[in-house]
Amino acid sequence: MFDSSSYNRNLYQNKKDSCGGLYYHDNNLLSGSLEALIQHLVPNVDYYPDRTYIFTFLLSSRLFMHPYELMAKVCHLCTEQQRLSEPGLDKNWTQKIAPKILQLLTEWTETFPYDFRDERMMRNLKGLAQRIASGDEMYRKNVQQLLQTLIQKLAAVTQYEEVLTKIDATTDHLTLLKTKPQSIQRDIITVCNDPYVLAQQLTHIELERLSYIGPEEFIQAFVQKDPLNNDKSCYRDRTKTRNLEAYVEWFNRLSYLVATEICMPVKKKHRARMIEYFIDVARECFNIGNFNSLMAIISGMNMSPVSRLKKTWAKVKTAKFDILEHQMDPSSNFYNYRTALRGATQRSLTAHSNREKIVIPFFSLLIKDIYFLNEGCANRLPNGHVNFEKFWELAKQVSEFMTWKQVECPFESDWKVLQYLLSVPVFSDDGKELWTSAGIVSLATAQSLSVLICGFLTVRKDILRTSLSGK
């Protein structure tokens, strides 16, 4: 979608620079009034908006208005176009414009389906679709297909969220680990003795959870009041970012699972074996392109309850781990990781198999980049125009994520391993303790990336700016 380096107004449209308060420079749309940008979204007989514009505006418009308000305006403009058409040409007008409106609705429902969980959105969608379908049998079938596909997507995400809720509800990790005799507790090596298989199963979980994150969640996590609408309630709603937050929680769970698995064995040689096992898992995650699991594993191994095990680490061959830590070194704004990510991205562009297409970014860093891009530029220019140049840059980053999340996992599922990873009791910061052979170790001082990530959606912005910048 974003192959070109900038917008080209002549690619799909015939509208002029002076139309409706849009400002261009060197063929790039830089800004415009909100009303003009909405009009620019709506097709007419001679015009259909560029796909990049549709994605960028639908993504960013929620910073200024609710999606259902935008949908209502789109419906109104379509109705006005028909009303102002020449008398007696209604049928001809419908034949020309209906395919374009249907295409716009298709792109909206395919790319931002979660917008239509709002009853008002669905009502407006059905009303506009009915107007299109009334004129032709072919359009009626297309509209039915659009609505059916949308309903299936919404049902799938509802089912996914219900499963996540059940998983969370069954976790009473501290009680289980205290009451279950250690001698009969399973560990990850017992369940899956091949680190390459475990890396593949981690990739399964990562890709599934990525696939349910809507692109709008990146924007809605940072929504504030529009300065031109001070009386308007803030559109920040935690239910609008639930899948993004669930993915952040998965990172934290994996980090604490690694720490728990390493600290649980009584004997040093067993702990050393567990450390070496996770080093091999992390290395395979790197080879796959699963940088999120890689960082979660490194984060878990750097927690103080693990790093303090000096005698255990003395038994570990750490050369491979040192290489992985170097790759994910946070210095110079994660320069080494960003280089590796670019390499994986380039590989995915020329890949002939899903195995080579996998790119799973270090998620908290992706969020940090989007956050600072959003914070670094104003949404509005001094003249009241929407700063569309900023949203173009935001859309490019989110669009890249959209490409990554659509890859189907090529590895065969191992349900026994998946169930263990998702449901095994682990100690976490809620429990405050990890049991090790040396006794009970407090986690209160554990300085890990996962702790920083866990609070990023709730802490104040000034704290967030400091913690995520690595200062």
Side-chain angles (χ1 to χ4, degrees):
M1 188 184 297
F2 286 84
D3 288 341
S4 60
S5 60
S6 62
Y7 281 115
N8 186 329
R9 71 172 187 268
N10 297 317
L11 190 58
Y12 291 110
Q13 58 253 34
N14 298 316
K15 290 191 172 183
K16 305 299 182 183
D17 289 6
S18 59
C19 180
L22 299 179
Y23 175 70
Y24 293 92
H25 181 69
D26 292 336
N27 286 345
N28 301 324
L29 176 57
L30 299 184
S31 68
S33 67
L34 185 57
E35 287 301 320
L37 292 170
I38 294 172
Q39 290 180 9
H40 201 58
L41 177 70
V42 179
N44 60 37
V45 174
D46 303 315
Y47 161 79
Y48 187 79
D50 186 296
R51 286 192 67 208
T52 55
Y53 177 79
I54 294 172
F55 179 79
T56 303
F57 186 66
L58 291 180
L59 179 70
S60 59
S61 63
R62 62 201 71 242
L63 289 168
F64 307 99
M65 61 199 307
H66 290 264
Y68 81 86
E69 293 175 312
L70 176 60
M71 174 60 81
K73 286 182 177 290
V74 169
C75 292
H76 174 73
L77 288 172
C78 290
T79 303
E80 278 294 293
Q81 281 191 34
Q82 186 174 13
R83 186 179 66 82
L84 295 174
S85 63
E86 295 181 35
L89 295 180
D90 280 0
K91 186 174 182 180
N92 185 45
W93 180 89
T94 301
Q95 289 176 343
K96 289 184 176 181
I97 194 63
K100 295 181 178 181
I101 296 176
L102 186 59
Q103 178 61 26
L104 177 63
L105 296 179
T106 300
E107 293 194 40
W108 195 335
T109 56
E110 286 181 350
T111 312
F112 299 93
Y114 302 165
D115 285 351
F116 296 87
R117 301 178 90 173
D118 189 317
E119 191 71 32
R120 295 163 295 190
M121 282 288 290
M122 189 63 82
R123 189 164 53 245
N124 280 327
L125 172 66
K126 289 180 177 178
L128 185 54
Q130 187 176 10
R131 292 177 65 88
I132 296 172
S134 62
D136 192 290
E137 178 64 27
M138 181 183 68
Y139 298 147
R140 189 176 299 112
K141 291 180 179 179
N142 291 339
V143 165
Q144 289 174 350
Q145 182 62 46
L146 180 151
L147 293 173
Q148 183 179 356
T149 302
L150 175 60
I151 291 170
Q152 288 173 348
K153 285 186 177 182
L154 297 182
V157 73
T158 298
Q159 185 179 20
Y160 166 74
E161 290 168 356
E162 289 173 353
V163 170
L164 290 182
T165 301
K166 289 178 181 177
I167 291 174
D168 294 340
T170 56
T171 305
D172 188 6
H173 47 270
L174 191 59
T175 303
L176 286 170
L177 283 178
K178 279 186 174 180
T179 58
K180 192 173 184 181
Q182 192 169 12
S183 60
I184 63 171
Q185 284 179 0
R186 295 184 302 167
D187 61 26
I188 189 65
I189 297 179
T190 304
V191 175
C192 179
N193 62 6
D194 188 340
Y196 298 99
V197 172
L198 185 67
Q200 293 173 0
Q201 301 311 302
L202 289 173
T203 303
H204 258 292
I205 296 172
E206 298 278 357
L207 287 174
E208 181 190 40
R209 298 208 170 194
L210 278 181
S211 70
Y212 285 102
I213 298 175
E216 72 281 355
E217 295 189 48
F218 292 100
I219 304 302
Q220 286 167 168
F222 309 124
V223 166
Q224 303 294 322
K225 289 183 179 180
D226 185 344
L228 297 188
N229 292 278
N230 292 325
D231 296 331
K232 196 170 184 177
S233 60
C234 183
Y235 185 41
R236 177 71 174 92
D237 183 349
R238 289 185 68 86
T239 62
K240 303 295 184 181
T241 57
R242 67 180 70 179
N243 298 312
L244 185 150
E245 293 180 46
Y247 190 55
V248 172
E249 290 165 5
W250 154 248
F251 180 99
N252 289 297
R253 172 178 171 77
L254 179 55
S255 294
Y256 283 111
L257 183 148
V258 170
T260 301
E261 293 282 347
I262 294 173
C263 291
M264 285 299 291
V266 174
K267 295 182 178 180
K268 290 190 289 291
K269 66 177 182 179
H270 293 159
R271 293 199 295 267
R273 180 189 175 207
M274 189 67 74
I275 289 174
E276 291 179 341
Y277 173 84
F278 276 115
I279 290 173
D280 287 337
V281 174
R283 186 172 65 167
E284 182 60 15
C285 285
F286 179 84
N287 292 335
I288 290 173
N290 181 357
F291 298 106
N292 201 57
S293 288
L294 166 62
M295 184 57 88
I297 293 170
I298 292 176
S299 176
M301 296 174 76
N302 278 304
M303 287 182 180
S304 58
V306 178
S307 62
R308 67 180 286 279
L309 302 172
K310 304 301 183 184
K311 293 180 180 179
T312 298
W313 280 97
K315 295 179 176 292
V316 176
K317 297 177 182 179
T318 59
K320 290 185 290 186
F321 185 62
D322 293 340
I323 293 173
L324 293 172
E325 281 200 306
H326 176 72
Q327 287 290 342
M328 305 304 284
D329 185 355
S331 63
S332 301
N333 194 19
F334 288 89
Y335 175 81
N336 294 336
Y337 158 72
R338 292 183 188 277
T339 301
L341 180 66
R342 283 195 298 271
T345 302
Q346 190 61 39
R347 178 189 68 186
S348 71
L349 293 175
T350 58
H352 299 291
S353 67
N354 281 344
R355 169 65 179 80
E356 296 174 317
K357 290 181 181 178
I358 296 173
V359 181
I360 302 173
F362 173 31
F363 197 63
S364 74
L365 189 60
L366 174 64
I367 295 172
K368 187 203 83 168
D369 290 342
I370 293 174
Y371 173 81
F372 282 117
L373 180 56
N374 182 60
E375 287 293 297
C377 302
N379 293 338
R380 298 268 194 177
L381 300 179
N383 64 356
H385 272 202
V386 172
N387 184 4
F388 206 76
E389 190 174 21
K390 164 187 173 175
F391 296 124
W392 161 240
E393 294 300 327
L394 273 174
K396 280 200 293 187
Q397 289 202 21
V398 176
S399 178
E400 192 169 38
F401 164 81
M402 293 286 287
T403 301
W404 295 335
K405 80 167 194 166
Q406 290 168 1
V407 176
E408 293 186 13
C409 189
F411 307 119
E412 185 177 349
S413 299
D414 187 323
W415 295 109
K416 180 179 67 174
V417 178
L418 292 172
Q419 184 180 19
Y420 184 90
L421 289 170
L422 292 170
S423 62
V424 67
V426 299
F427 287 109
S428 72
D429 213 30
D430 296 332
K432 301 295 183 185
E433 299 168 338
L434 275 173
W435 286 19
T436 70
S437 59
I440 299 175
V441 181
S442 172
L443 279 182
T445 60
Q447 299 298 314
S448 67
L449 284 168
S450 58
V451 175
L452 297 179
I453 299 164
C454 196
F456 98 93
L457 286 173
T458 55
V459 295
R460 290 180 296 121
K461 286 184 180 178
D462 54 336
I463 298 176
L464 177 67
R465 185 176 293 109
T466 301
S467 63
L468 288 182
S469 63
K471 296 180 180 178

PDB file of all heavy atoms in Angstrom, residues 144-160:
ATOM      1  N   GLN A 144     -24.410  -8.335   0.346  1.00  0.00           N
ATOM      2  CA  GLN A 144     -24.612  -9.469   1.249  1.00  0.00           C
ATOM      3  C   GLN A 144     -23.281 -10.126   1.610  1.00  0.00           C
ATOM      4  O   GLN A 144     -23.052 -10.506   2.762  1.00  0.00           O
ATOM      5  CB  GLN A 144     -25.559 -10.479   0.604  1.00  0.00           C
ATOM      6  CG  GLN A 144     -27.012 -10.012   0.520  1.00  0.00           C
ATOM      7  CD  GLN A 144     -27.890 -10.975  -0.262  1.00  0.00           C
ATOM      8  OE1 GLN A 144     -27.412 -11.907  -0.914  1.00  0.00           O
ATOM      9  NE2 GLN A 144     -29.204 -10.743  -0.209  1.00  0.00           N
ATOM     10  N   GLN A 145     -22.405 -10.257   0.606  1.00  0.00           N
ATOM     11  CA  GLN A 145     -21.094 -10.851   0.855  1.00  0.00           C
ATOM     12  C   GLN A 145     -20.271  -9.978   1.792  1.00  0.00           C
ATOM     13  O   GLN A 145     -19.588 -10.482   2.706  1.00  0.00           O
ATOM     14  CB  GLN A 145     -20.346 -11.044  -0.469  1.00  0.00           C
ATOM     15  CG  GLN A 145     -18.973 -11.695  -0.336  1.00  0.00           C
ATOM     16  CD  GLN A 145     -19.052 -13.085   0.240  1.00  0.00           C
ATOM     17  OE1 GLN A 145     -19.874 -13.893  -0.174  1.00  0.00           O
ATOM     18  NE2 GLN A 145     -18.184 -13.380   1.208  1.00  0.00           N
ATOM     19  N   LEU A 146     -20.328  -8.660   1.588  1.00  0.00           N
ATOM     20  CA  LEU A 146     -19.599  -7.727   2.453  1.00  0.00           C
ATOM     21  C   LEU A 146     -20.053  -7.865   3.905  1.00  0.00           C
ATOM     22  O   LEU A 146     -19.230  -7.976   4.819  1.00  0.00           O
ATOM     23  CB  LEU A 146     -19.810  -6.302   1.946  1.00  0.00           C
ATOM     24  CG  LEU A 146     -19.137  -5.142   2.684  1.00  0.00           C
ATOM     25  CD1 LEU A 146     -18.858  -3.996   1.717  1.00  0.00           C
ATOM     26  CD2 LEU A 146     -19.983  -4.619   3.843  1.00  0.00           C
ATOM     27  N   LEU A 147     -21.368  -7.851   4.111  1.00  0.00           N
ATOM     28  CA  LEU A 147     -21.904  -7.935   5.470  1.00  0.00           C
ATOM     29  C   LEU A 147     -21.597  -9.284   6.108  1.00  0.00           C
ATOM     30  O   LEU A 147     -21.264  -9.362   7.302  1.00  0.00           O
ATOM     31  CB  LEU A 147     -23.411  -7.691   5.451  1.00  0.00           C
ATOM     32  CG  LEU A 147     -23.854  -6.271   5.060  1.00  0.00           C
ATOM     33  CD1 LEU A 147     -25.364  -6.204   4.907  1.00  0.00           C
ATOM     34  CD2 LEU A 147     -23.377  -5.258   6.100  1.00  0.00           C
ATOM     35  N   GLN A 148     -21.675 -10.350   5.322  1.00  0.00           N
ATOM     36  CA  GLN A 148     -21.405 -11.686   5.855  1.00  0.00           C
ATOM     37  C   GLN A 148     -19.945 -11.809   6.294  1.00  0.00           C
ATOM     38  O   GLN A 148     -19.650 -12.349   7.377  1.00  0.00           O
ATOM     39  CB  GLN A 148     -21.725 -12.743   4.799  1.00  0.00           C
ATOM     40  CG  GLN A 148     -21.555 -14.175   5.291  1.00  0.00           C
ATOM     41  CD  GLN A 148     -21.919 -15.198   4.214  1.00  0.00           C
ATOM     42  OE1 GLN A 148     -22.355 -14.836   3.134  1.00  0.00           O
ATOM     43  NE2 GLN A 148     -21.719 -16.463   4.527  1.00  0.00           N
ATOM     44  N   THR A 149     -19.025 -11.307   5.468  1.00  0.00           N
ATOM     45  CA  THR A 149     -17.604 -11.352   5.815  1.00  0.00           C
ATOM     46  C   THR A 149     -17.323 -10.541   7.070  1.00  0.00           C
ATOM     47  O   THR A 149     -16.562 -10.976   7.951  1.00  0.00           O
ATOM     48  CB  THR A 149     -16.758 -10.811   4.648  1.00  0.00           C
ATOM     49  OG1 THR A 149     -17.015 -11.591   3.480  1.00  0.00           O
ATOM     50  CG2 THR A 149     -15.281 -10.868   4.978  1.00  0.00           C
ATOM     51  N   LEU A 150     -17.935  -9.369   7.179  1.00  0.00           N
ATOM     52  CA  LEU A 150     -17.738  -8.517   8.355  1.00  0.00           C
ATOM     53  C   LEU A 150     -18.248  -9.205   9.615  1.00  0.00           C
ATOM     54  O   LEU A 150     -17.564  -9.217  10.651  1.00  0.00           O
ATOM     55  CB  LEU A 150     -18.457  -7.183   8.155  1.00  0.00           C
ATOM     56  CG  LEU A 150     -18.451  -6.218   9.344  1.00  0.00           C
ATOM     57  CD1 LEU A 150     -17.029  -5.849   9.737  1.00  0.00           C
ATOM     58  CD2 LEU A 150     -19.270  -4.968   9.025  1.00  0.00           C
ATOM     59  N   ILE A 151     -19.425  -9.784   9.556  1.00  0.00           N
ATOM     60  CA  ILE A 151     -19.997 -10.465  10.724  1.00  0.00           C
ATOM     61  C   ILE A 151     -19.109 -11.628  11.169  1.00  0.00           C
ATOM     62  O   ILE A 151     -18.924 -11.868  12.362  1.00  0.00           O
ATOM     63  CB  ILE A 151     -21.434 -10.938  10.411  1.00  0.00           C
ATOM     64  CG1 ILE A 151     -22.367  -9.720  10.277  1.00  0.00           C
ATOM     65  CG2 ILE A 151     -21.952 -11.880  11.484  1.00  0.00           C
ATOM     66  CD1 ILE A 151     -23.739 -10.048   9.733  1.00  0.00           C
ATOM     67  N   GLN A 152     -18.538 -12.354  10.204  1.00  0.00           N
ATOM     68  CA  GLN A 152     -17.649 -13.460  10.535  1.00  0.00           C
ATOM     69  C   GLN A 152     -16.395 -12.962  11.253  1.00  0.00           C
ATOM     70  O   GLN A 152     -15.926 -13.586  12.223  1.00  0.00           O
ATOM     71  CB  GLN A 152     -17.259 -14.216   9.257  1.00  0.00           C
ATOM     72  CG  GLN A 152     -18.393 -15.045   8.664  1.00  0.00           C
ATOM     73  CD  GLN A 152     -18.022 -15.650   7.316  1.00  0.00           C
ATOM     74  OE1 GLN A 152     -17.011 -15.289   6.714  1.00  0.00           O
ATOM     75  NE2 GLN A 152     -18.846 -16.572   6.831  1.00  0.00           N
ATOM     76  N   LYS A 153     -15.846 -11.849  10.802  1.00  0.00           N
ATOM     77  CA  LYS A 153     -14.659 -11.282  11.450  1.00  0.00           C
ATOM     78  C   LYS A 153     -14.960 -10.851  12.879  1.00  0.00           C
ATOM     79  O   LYS A 153     -14.177 -11.096  13.801  1.00  0.00           O
ATOM     80  CB  LYS A 153     -14.135 -10.083  10.643  1.00  0.00           C
ATOM     81  CG  LYS A 153     -13.410 -10.463   9.371  1.00  0.00           C
ATOM     82  CD  LYS A 153     -12.810  -9.224   8.723  1.00  0.00           C
ATOM     83  CE  LYS A 153     -12.012  -9.601   7.475  1.00  0.00           C
ATOM     84  NZ  LYS A 153     -11.381  -8.423   6.839  1.00  0.00           N
ATOM     85  N   LEU A 154     -16.104 -10.211  13.064  1.00  0.00           N
ATOM     86  CA  LEU A 154     -16.481  -9.749  14.400  1.00  0.00           C
ATOM     87  C   LEU A 154     -16.754 -10.920  15.327  1.00  0.00           C
ATOM     88  O   LEU A 154     -16.414 -10.888  16.521  1.00  0.00           O
ATOM     89  CB  LEU A 154     -17.698  -8.827  14.318  1.00  0.00           C
ATOM     90  CG  LEU A 154     -17.491  -7.520  13.532  1.00  0.00           C
ATOM     91  CD1 LEU A 154     -18.756  -6.676  13.561  1.00  0.00           C
ATOM     92  CD2 LEU A 154     -16.313  -6.733  14.093  1.00  0.00           C
ATOM     93  N   ALA A 155     -17.345 -11.984  14.806  1.00  0.00           N
ATOM     94  CA  ALA A 155     -17.597 -13.179  15.610  1.00  0.00           C
ATOM     95  C   ALA A 155     -16.279 -13.829  16.018  1.00  0.00           C
ATOM     96  O   ALA A 155     -16.125 -14.299  17.157  1.00  0.00           O
ATOM     97  CB  ALA A 155     -18.463 -14.164  14.832  1.00  0.00           C
ATOM     98  N   ALA A 156     -15.302 -13.839  15.102  1.00  0.00           N
ATOM     99  CA  ALA A 156     -14.005 -14.451  15.393  1.00  0.00           C
ATOM    100  C   ALA A 156     -13.271 -13.698  16.497  1.00  0.00           C
ATOM    101  O   ALA A 156     -12.695 -14.318  17.402  1.00  0.00           O
ATOM    102  CB  ALA A 156     -13.152 -14.499  14.126  1.00  0.00           C
ATOM    103  N   VAL A 157     -13.291 -12.367  16.441  1.00  0.00           N
ATOM    104  CA  VAL A 157     -12.581 -11.609  17.467  1.00  0.00           C
ATOM    105  C   VAL A 157     -13.290 -11.718  18.816  1.00  0.00           C
ATOM    106  O   VAL A 157     -12.650 -11.764  19.871  1.00  0.00           O
ATOM    107  CB  VAL A 157     -12.413 -10.128  17.057  1.00  0.00           C
ATOM    108  CG1 VAL A 157     -13.716  -9.352  17.142  1.00  0.00           C
ATOM    109  CG2 VAL A 157     -11.350  -9.455  17.919  1.00  0.00           C
ATOM    110  N   THR A 158     -14.618 -11.816  18.808  1.00  0.00           N
ATOM    111  CA  THR A 158     -15.353 -12.011  20.062  1.00  0.00           C
ATOM    112  C   THR A 158     -14.983 -13.356  20.695  1.00  0.00           C
ATOM    113  O   THR A 158     -14.754 -13.440  21.911  1.00  0.00           O
ATOM    114  CB  THR A 158     -16.868 -11.952  19.810  1.00  0.00           C
ATOM    115  OG1 THR A 158     -17.207 -10.646  19.291  1.00  0.00           O
ATOM    116  CG2 THR A 158     -17.648 -12.195  21.091  1.00  0.00           C
ATOM    117  N   GLN A 159     -14.897 -14.379  19.872  1.00  0.00           N
ATOM    118  CA  GLN A 159     -14.515 -15.699  20.370  1.00  0.00           C
ATOM    119  C   GLN A 159     -13.088 -15.677  20.923  1.00  0.00           C
ATOM    120  O   GLN A 159     -12.809 -16.264  21.980  1.00  0.00           O
ATOM    121  CB  GLN A 159     -14.638 -16.726  19.250  1.00  0.00           C
ATOM    122  CG  GLN A 159     -14.379 -18.159  19.691  1.00  0.00           C
ATOM    123  CD  GLN A 159     -14.542 -19.144  18.543  1.00  0.00           C
ATOM    124  OE1 GLN A 159     -14.475 -18.762  17.378  1.00  0.00           O
ATOM    125  NE2 GLN A 159     -14.762 -20.406  18.857  1.00  0.00           N
ATOM    126  N   TYR A 160     -12.194 -15.019  20.218  1.00  0.00           N
ATOM    127  CA  TYR A 160     -10.808 -14.902  20.668  1.00  0.00           C
ATOM    128  C   TYR A 160     -10.729 -14.205  22.024  1.00  0.00           C
ATOM    129  O   TYR A 160     -10.007 -14.657  22.924  1.00  0.00           O
ATOM    130  CB  TYR A 160     -10.018 -14.128  19.611  1.00  0.00           C
ATOM    131  CG  TYR A 160      -8.662 -13.631  20.054  1.00  0.00           C
ATOM    132  CD1 TYR A 160      -7.589 -14.499  20.205  1.00  0.00           C
ATOM    133  CD2 TYR A 160      -8.453 -12.271  20.293  1.00  0.00           C
ATOM    134  CE1 TYR A 160      -6.339 -14.029  20.590  1.00  0.00           C
ATOM    135  CE2 TYR A 160      -7.213 -11.797  20.684  1.00  0.00           C
ATOM    136  CZ  TYR A 160      -6.159 -12.676  20.827  1.00  0.00           C
ATOM    137  OH  TYR A 160      -4.924 -12.202  21.210  1.00  0.00           O
TER     138      TYR A 160
END
